[in-house]
Amino acid sequence: MKSLADIRSQLSNGAFRYSEHAFDRAIVRRITRGEIIQASSNAAIIENYPEDKYGPSCLLLGFTAANRPIHIQVSLADESETLIITLYEPNLDEWEDYRRRR
């Protein structure tokens, strides 16, 4: 299983791919590849999903250079690229300090 260091490294080096859902969400939510790379440098795991239906995954919180918060759910499969399952800008009505669900 991938470590946070592995995930950060792959994301920051552009070694990632999108699920079809994540690709669609990135377009609709206007989250660029560059923002994903920026947010990966300071990303932290805020939730783990060991029983996710497609395999273990986790939710990351990272901030872009413009301080935009981004949640990125990624697969923990030990592969040469990180699979992004979904991504979005968290809503403070649903998240406390972007890190904990309300």
Side-chain angles (χ1 to χ4, degrees), residues 1-20:
M1 217 173 321
K2 250 180 224 169
S3 69
L4 177 58
D6 293 335
I7 295 166
R8 280 181 175 166
S9 176
Q10 288 179 345
L11 291 175
S12 67
N13 290 319
F16 60 87
R17 66 186 194 285
Y18 301 89
S19 68
E20 187 174 330

Side-chain angles (χ1 to χ4, degrees), residues 51 74 91:
E51 304 297 323
V74 299
N91 181 330

Side-chain angles (χ1 to χ4, degrees), residues 4-5 9 21 23 33 44 63-64 67 82-83 86:
L4 177 58
S9 176
H21 172 79
F23 184 76
R33 183 175 179 81
F63 292 86
T64 68
N67 210 33
T82 293
L83 173 65
T86 194

Side-chain angles (χ1 to χ4, degrees), residues 32-47:
T32 68
R33 183 175 179 81
E35 287 178 311
I36 293 167
I37 291 169
Q38 291 168 14
S40 69
S41 69
N42 57 57
I45 296 174
I46 59 170
E47 290 186 353

Side-chain angles (χ1 to χ4, degrees), residues 28-96:
V28 169
R29 296 169 177 157
R30 297 179 181 185
I31 300 172
T32 68
R33 183 175 179 81
E35 287 178 311
I36 293 167
I37 291 169
Q38 291 168 14
S40 69
S41 69
N42 57 57
I45 296 174
I46 59 170
E47 290 186 353
N48 281 293
Y49 310 121
E51 304 297 323
D52 200 24
K53 66 181 177 179
Y54 298 112
S57 66
C58 67
L59 184 64
L60 304 173
L61 167 62
F63 292 86
T64 68
N67 210 33
R68 180 184 186 190
I70 299 178
H71 280 178
I72 308 169
Q73 184 183 356
V74 299
S75 169
L76 294 175
D78 198 14
E79 297 178 357
S80 61
E81 292 183 313
T82 293
L83 173 65
I84 298 176
I85 298 166
T86 194
L87 66 168
Y88 56 92
E89 187 171 345
N91 181 330
L92 282 175
D93 290 339
E94 299 171 18
W95 292 89
E96 184 177 322

